[in-house]
Amino acid sequence: MATATVATTPEGIPVIILKEGSSRTYGKEALRANIAAVKAIEEALKSTYGPRGMDKMLVDSLGDITITNDGATILDKMDLQHPTGKLLVQIAKGQDEETADGTKTAVILAGELAKKAEDLLYKEIHPTIIVSGYKKAEEIALKTIQDIAQPVSINDTDVLRKVALTSLGSKAVAGAREYLADLVVKAVAQVAELRGDKWYVDLDNVQIVKKHGGSINDTQLVYGIVVDKEVVHPGMPKRIENAKIALLDASLEVEKPELDAEIRINDPTQMHKFLEEEENILKEKVDKIAATGANVVICQKGIDEVAQHYLAKKGILAVRRAKKSDLEKLARATGGRVISNIDELTSQDLGYAALVEERKVGEDKMVFVEGAKNPKSVSILIRGGLERVVDETERALRDALGTVADVIRDGRAVAGGGAVEIEIAKRLRKYAPQVGGKEQLAIEAYANAIEGLIMILAENAGLDPIDKLMQLRSLHENETNKWYGLNLFTGNPEDMWKLGVIEPALVKMNAIKAATEAVALVLRIDDIVAAGKKGGSEPGGKKEKEERSSED
């Protein structure tokens, strides 16, 4: 029932509860509306699921095009208005931030769980009982993953490469995945550091620079930082070995007075002195930098032409208007310190790199800082024929970097292709009768929802989902076949671990937690009270304010 904003007393006197223009939906109607929203979003996403999934073209209000099959990007760009839809966007973002992959798994599983819950609601099973059964099923699902997950160490390069390949296999860049997987594993291994007995990976140390032109196979890994700027003056050296780098957050320009100032000049010699003084100020600044032993200057702000001339005379390579994030990465990589006042610059503040060189990339020039003091910073320079391809390659690489980092941090991996889902469903069906009652139905519904992921994978590959599901169920009756899943390219069940389809256990676990929490949240809502839109005739609206002011 909608718009129930007025209640009545036993005497029949109406009582206004909500503001005019508000709407209210409650009871089964509210539940159905929320479940319908979850199902609609799942329908929009499910055709992109798996290595045989399709892409989406998203056009924003300005006409900018995004072509992707990345779950978090699709939901973000869809600009959903329904409150439950926004909830799923938050889930996808949370999954993306936590594990960098598995966003579609989380949202599609939430959709499948919502569908099964709807069937149970029609059987007059209370939402609280469904939520309770789902929570018990979630515990068994997570325990199953923990039981069957294989330990992986940072030295298992082959397994890590397969994890990267699996992540890249469902992306638009699958054609170059062998090459990109090698880059990803090298980059993550380079920035990983051991803290106590745990590995820590900060992916902020992997800089991603995009430059369209060339092909995806021209993408390269740089053991250092790439600054997307060119050397400011043609007279400066383009290559410096054993570079001592000054990182400046100050401008090499004559500062303008904050207030408007007027200088009266009566004689041409005064004008000459004024310009000479300006030149001397800049020369002094350059001399101070040179005195510290710096032979490279990377500046976040501007460098005056006169200062450029003096820097060039001293054989110093300079870059201006570098991004703040690049300056921070350079500070981390070279061991330098970002200085805001040139007077405070000392030789101890300088960073070190074996080589600083300007190179041509496509039509543009970039400065490469390699062989830095701290090798825990690397860059991936992405190339691609189209800007859209470069953007999608960046999304794919970020997911792959995240999955490899997850495996190194967590130290556990599982096989893909539906192997884990079938194993979870098998254990849930054994567990459900032990619980009994109506909760048993909810646990069995959870098992069916988990298997729904495999059916979607099969559908997207053009296979018969029910036939393939039965084959996998039969194989998993034997304990030794726990890694059997669906090879979507041949259509046959195979041992996914041997086939090299490997995923982080952390991604699966996080997706299951996120999907279960989302559906539990949706099922508990039995009342939706929506405030009226601002403006119009409701109290406090624009129209009313105008009326009040005219009365005054």
Side-chain angles (χ1 to χ4, degrees), residues 398-434:
R398 286 196 188 279
D399 282 5
L401 287 163
T403 52
V404 173
D406 288 339
V407 172
I408 290 172
R409 278 192 292 241
D410 186 51
R412 294 175 299 174
V414 293
V420 174
E421 286 82 351
I422 285 287
E423 197 64 27
I424 290 170
K426 180 184 88 174
R427 295 198 187 190
L428 284 174
R429 287 201 177 91
K430 284 180 183 170
Y431 169 71
Q434 297 169 25

Short mmCIF file of all heavy atoms in Angstrom, two decimals, residues 398-434:
data_model
loop_
_atom_site.label_atom_id
_atom_site.label_comp_id
_atom_site.label_asym_id
_atom_site.label_seq_id
_atom_site.Cartn_x
_atom_site.Cartn_y
_atom_site.Cartn_z
N ARG A 398 44.00 -3.41 -12.71
CA ARG A 398 43.75 -3.13 -11.27
C ARG A 398 43.12 -4.34 -10.59
O ARG A 398 43.47 -4.68 -9.46
CB ARG A 398 42.87 -1.89 -11.11
CG ARG A 398 43.59 -0.59 -11.40
CD ARG A 398 42.86 0.63 -10.87
NE ARG A 398 43.49 1.86 -11.33
CZ ARG A 398 44.56 2.41 -10.78
NH1 ARG A 398 45.14 1.82 -9.75
NH2 ARG A 398 45.06 3.55 -11.24
N ASP A 399 42.18 -5.00 -11.29
CA ASP A 399 41.55 -6.21 -10.74
C ASP A 399 42.59 -7.33 -10.57
O ASP A 399 42.63 -8.00 -9.54
CB ASP A 399 40.41 -6.70 -11.66
CG ASP A 399 39.14 -5.87 -11.47
OD1 ASP A 399 39.19 -4.89 -10.71
OD2 ASP A 399 38.11 -6.20 -12.09
N ALA A 400 43.42 -7.52 -11.60
CA ALA A 400 44.42 -8.59 -11.56
C ALA A 400 45.46 -8.32 -10.47
O ALA A 400 45.85 -9.24 -9.73
CB ALA A 400 45.10 -8.72 -12.92
N LEU A 401 45.91 -7.07 -10.36
CA LEU A 401 46.87 -6.72 -9.29
C LEU A 401 46.26 -7.00 -7.93
O LEU A 401 46.92 -7.55 -7.04
CB LEU A 401 47.23 -5.22 -9.38
CG LEU A 401 48.13 -4.78 -10.53
CD1 LEU A 401 48.06 -3.26 -10.72
CD2 LEU A 401 49.58 -5.20 -10.28
N GLY A 402 44.97 -6.66 -7.78
CA GLY A 402 44.27 -6.88 -6.51
C GLY A 402 44.14 -8.35 -6.16
O GLY A 402 44.36 -8.74 -5.01
N THR A 403 43.83 -9.19 -7.17
CA THR A 403 43.65 -10.63 -6.88
C THR A 403 44.98 -11.29 -6.50
O THR A 403 45.03 -12.09 -5.57
CB THR A 403 43.03 -11.38 -8.07
OG1 THR A 403 43.79 -11.11 -9.24
CG2 THR A 403 41.60 -10.99 -8.32
N VAL A 404 46.05 -10.92 -7.20
CA VAL A 404 47.38 -11.49 -6.87
C VAL A 404 47.79 -11.02 -5.47
O VAL A 404 48.30 -11.82 -4.66
CB VAL A 404 48.43 -11.11 -7.94
CG1 VAL A 404 49.82 -11.56 -7.51
CG2 VAL A 404 48.08 -11.73 -9.28
N ALA A 405 47.54 -9.74 -5.17
CA ALA A 405 47.86 -9.21 -3.83
C ALA A 405 47.04 -9.94 -2.75
O ALA A 405 47.56 -10.25 -1.67
CB ALA A 405 47.58 -7.71 -3.79
N ASP A 406 45.77 -10.25 -3.05
CA ASP A 406 44.90 -10.98 -2.10
C ASP A 406 45.49 -12.34 -1.76
O ASP A 406 45.52 -12.74 -0.59
CB ASP A 406 43.50 -11.19 -2.69
CG ASP A 406 42.70 -9.91 -2.76
OD1 ASP A 406 43.02 -8.97 -2.01
OD2 ASP A 406 41.75 -9.83 -3.58
N VAL A 407 45.96 -13.05 -2.79
CA VAL A 407 46.51 -14.39 -2.56
C VAL A 407 47.79 -14.31 -1.74
O VAL A 407 48.01 -15.12 -0.83
CB VAL A 407 46.78 -15.12 -3.91
CG1 VAL A 407 47.52 -16.42 -3.69
CG2 VAL A 407 45.48 -15.40 -4.63
N ILE A 408 48.64 -13.30 -2.02
CA ILE A 408 49.89 -13.15 -1.26
C ILE A 408 49.59 -12.80 0.20
O ILE A 408 50.18 -13.37 1.12
CB ILE A 408 50.80 -12.08 -1.91
CG1 ILE A 408 51.34 -12.62 -3.25
CG2 ILE A 408 51.95 -11.70 -0.99
CD1 ILE A 408 52.09 -11.61 -4.09
N ARG A 409 48.62 -11.89 0.40
CA ARG A 409 48.29 -11.45 1.77
C ARG A 409 47.63 -12.57 2.57
O ARG A 409 47.95 -12.81 3.72
CB ARG A 409 47.34 -10.25 1.72
CG ARG A 409 48.04 -8.92 1.50
CD ARG A 409 47.10 -7.75 1.75
NE ARG A 409 46.06 -7.68 0.75
CZ ARG A 409 45.87 -6.67 -0.08
NH1 ARG A 409 46.66 -5.63 -0.04
NH2 ARG A 409 44.88 -6.67 -0.95
N ASP A 410 46.66 -13.25 1.92
CA ASP A 410 45.85 -14.27 2.62
C ASP A 410 46.52 -15.64 2.61
O ASP A 410 46.33 -16.44 3.52
CB ASP A 410 44.47 -14.35 1.95
CG ASP A 410 43.51 -15.26 2.67
OD1 ASP A 410 43.36 -15.10 3.90
OD2 ASP A 410 42.92 -16.15 2.03
N GLY A 411 47.28 -15.91 1.55
CA GLY A 411 48.01 -17.18 1.46
C GLY A 411 47.15 -18.38 1.11
O GLY A 411 47.54 -19.52 1.35
N ARG A 412 45.94 -18.14 0.54
CA ARG A 412 45.05 -19.26 0.17
C ARG A 412 44.40 -19.00 -1.17
O ARG A 412 44.08 -17.86 -1.51
CB ARG A 412 43.95 -19.45 1.22
CG ARG A 412 44.44 -19.90 2.57
CD ARG A 412 43.32 -19.94 3.59
NE ARG A 412 42.72 -18.63 3.79
CZ ARG A 412 41.65 -18.41 4.55
NH1 ARG A 412 41.05 -19.41 5.15
NH2 ARG A 412 41.16 -17.20 4.70
N ALA A 413 44.22 -20.09 -1.92
CA ALA A 413 43.55 -19.97 -3.23
C ALA A 413 42.63 -21.16 -3.44
O ALA A 413 42.79 -22.21 -2.81
CB ALA A 413 44.59 -19.91 -4.35
N VAL A 414 41.63 -20.97 -4.33
CA VAL A 414 40.69 -22.04 -4.67
C VAL A 414 40.56 -22.10 -6.19
O VAL A 414 40.96 -21.17 -6.89
CB VAL A 414 39.29 -21.80 -4.04
CG1 VAL A 414 39.33 -21.91 -2.54
CG2 VAL A 414 38.72 -20.45 -4.47
N ALA A 415 40.00 -23.19 -6.70
CA ALA A 415 39.78 -23.31 -8.15
C ALA A 415 38.51 -22.58 -8.54
O ALA A 415 37.58 -22.43 -7.74
CB ALA A 415 39.69 -24.78 -8.54
N GLY A 416 38.46 -22.11 -9.78
CA GLY A 416 37.28 -21.40 -10.28
C GLY A 416 36.38 -22.32 -11.09
O GLY A 416 36.36 -23.54 -10.87
N GLY A 417 35.64 -21.75 -12.02
CA GLY A 417 34.79 -22.55 -12.91
C GLY A 417 33.61 -23.21 -12.24
O GLY A 417 33.05 -24.17 -12.76
N GLY A 418 33.24 -22.72 -11.03
CA GLY A 418 32.08 -23.29 -10.33
C GLY A 418 32.41 -24.43 -9.38
O GLY A 418 31.52 -24.97 -8.73
N ALA A 419 33.70 -24.81 -9.28
CA ALA A 419 34.08 -25.93 -8.41
C ALA A 419 33.72 -25.65 -6.95
O ALA A 419 33.16 -26.51 -6.26
CB ALA A 419 35.58 -26.20 -8.54
N VAL A 420 34.05 -24.46 -6.48
CA VAL A 420 33.78 -24.09 -5.07
C VAL A 420 32.28 -24.04 -4.81
O VAL A 420 31.80 -24.54 -3.78
CB VAL A 420 34.43 -22.71 -4.76
CG1 VAL A 420 34.06 -22.25 -3.36
CG2 VAL A 420 35.93 -22.79 -4.90
N GLU A 421 31.53 -23.47 -5.76
CA GLU A 421 30.08 -23.32 -5.59
C GLU A 421 29.38 -24.68 -5.45
O GLU A 421 28.50 -24.85 -4.61
CB GLU A 421 29.47 -22.53 -6.76
CG GLU A 421 29.78 -21.04 -6.73
CD GLU A 421 31.14 -20.67 -7.29
OE1 GLU A 421 31.94 -21.60 -7.58
OE2 GLU A 421 31.43 -19.47 -7.43
N ILE A 422 29.80 -25.64 -6.29
CA ILE A 422 29.19 -26.99 -6.23
C ILE A 422 29.53 -27.67 -4.90
O ILE A 422 28.67 -28.31 -4.27
CB ILE A 422 29.70 -27.86 -7.42
CG1 ILE A 422 29.03 -27.41 -8.71
CG2 ILE A 422 29.46 -29.34 -7.19
CD1 ILE A 422 27.57 -27.80 -8.84
N GLU A 423 30.75 -27.50 -4.44
CA GLU A 423 31.19 -28.09 -3.17
C GLU A 423 30.39 -27.49 -2.01
O GLU A 423 29.95 -28.23 -1.11
CB GLU A 423 32.69 -27.85 -3.00
CG GLU A 423 33.36 -28.72 -1.96
CD GLU A 423 33.36 -30.22 -2.27
OE1 GLU A 423 33.31 -30.61 -3.46
OE2 GLU A 423 33.38 -31.01 -1.31
N ILE A 424 30.18 -26.17 -2.04
CA ILE A 424 29.39 -25.50 -0.99
C ILE A 424 27.95 -26.02 -1.00
O ILE A 424 27.40 -26.37 0.04
CB ILE A 424 29.41 -23.95 -1.18
CG1 ILE A 424 30.79 -23.40 -0.86
CG2 ILE A 424 28.35 -23.28 -0.31
CD1 ILE A 424 30.99 -21.94 -1.25
N ALA A 425 27.34 -26.08 -2.20
CA ALA A 425 25.95 -26.54 -2.32
C ALA A 425 25.80 -27.97 -1.80
O ALA A 425 24.82 -28.30 -1.11
CB ALA A 425 25.50 -26.45 -3.77
N LYS A 426 26.79 -28.82 -2.11
CA LYS A 426 26.75 -30.23 -1.66
C LYS A 426 26.72 -30.30 -0.13
O LYS A 426 25.91 -31.01 0.47
CB LYS A 426 27.98 -30.96 -2.21
CG LYS A 426 28.07 -32.43 -1.84
CD LYS A 426 29.35 -33.08 -2.32
CE LYS A 426 30.45 -32.92 -1.29
NZ LYS A 426 31.68 -33.65 -1.65
N ARG A 427 27.61 -29.51 0.50
CA ARG A 427 27.70 -29.54 1.97
C ARG A 427 26.45 -28.93 2.61
O ARG A 427 26.03 -29.36 3.68
CB ARG A 427 28.96 -28.81 2.43
CG ARG A 427 30.23 -29.50 1.97
CD ARG A 427 31.43 -29.06 2.77
NE ARG A 427 32.65 -29.62 2.22
CZ ARG A 427 33.84 -29.56 2.81
NH1 ARG A 427 33.95 -28.95 3.97
NH2 ARG A 427 34.91 -30.08 2.25
N LEU A 428 25.88 -27.91 1.97
CA LEU A 428 24.67 -27.28 2.52
C LEU A 428 23.50 -28.25 2.50
O LEU A 428 22.69 -28.27 3.43
CB LEU A 428 24.32 -26.01 1.72
CG LEU A 428 25.17 -24.76 1.98
CD1 LEU A 428 24.80 -23.64 1.03
CD2 LEU A 428 25.02 -24.28 3.43
N ARG A 429 23.41 -29.04 1.44
CA ARG A 429 22.29 -30.01 1.35
C ARG A 429 22.42 -31.12 2.39
O ARG A 429 21.42 -31.67 2.83
CB ARG A 429 22.23 -30.60 -0.07
CG ARG A 429 21.71 -29.59 -1.07
CD ARG A 429 21.16 -30.20 -2.34
NE ARG A 429 20.63 -29.13 -3.17
CZ ARG A 429 21.33 -28.48 -4.09
NH1 ARG A 429 22.58 -28.84 -4.31
NH2 ARG A 429 20.80 -27.50 -4.79
N LYS A 430 23.67 -31.44 2.78
CA LYS A 430 23.87 -32.44 3.83
C LYS A 430 23.54 -31.84 5.21
O LYS A 430 23.08 -32.51 6.11
CB LYS A 430 25.32 -32.93 3.82
CG LYS A 430 25.61 -33.91 2.68
CD LYS A 430 27.06 -34.37 2.72
CE LYS A 430 27.36 -35.30 1.53
NZ LYS A 430 28.81 -35.56 1.41
N TYR A 431 23.84 -30.51 5.32
CA TYR A 431 23.67 -29.83 6.61
C TYR A 431 22.20 -29.48 6.88
O TYR A 431 21.75 -29.54 8.03
CB TYR A 431 24.54 -28.57 6.59
CG TYR A 431 24.30 -27.60 7.73
CD1 TYR A 431 24.68 -27.91 9.03
CD2 TYR A 431 23.70 -26.36 7.49
CE1 TYR A 431 24.47 -27.02 10.07
CE2 TYR A 431 23.48 -25.46 8.53
CZ TYR A 431 23.87 -25.79 9.82
OH TYR A 431 23.66 -24.91 10.84
N ALA A 432 21.44 -29.14 5.84
CA ALA A 432 20.06 -28.64 6.00
C ALA A 432 19.17 -29.56 6.85
O ALA A 432 18.49 -29.07 7.77
CB ALA A 432 19.43 -28.38 4.63
N PRO A 433 19.12 -30.89 6.61
CA PRO A 433 18.24 -31.76 7.42
C PRO A 433 18.59 -31.75 8.90
O PRO A 433 17.74 -31.99 9.76
CB PRO A 433 18.45 -33.16 6.81
CG PRO A 433 18.99 -32.90 5.44
CD PRO A 433 19.79 -31.65 5.55
N GLN A 434 19.89 -31.47 9.23
CA GLN A 434 20.29 -31.44 10.65
C GLN A 434 19.63 -30.25 11.37
O GLN A 434 19.39 -30.29 12.56
CB GLN A 434 21.81 -31.31 10.77
CG GLN A 434 22.57 -32.50 10.20
CD GLN A 434 24.08 -32.20 10.10
OE1 GLN A 434 24.61 -31.38 10.82
NE2 GLN A 434 24.76 -32.90 9.20
#
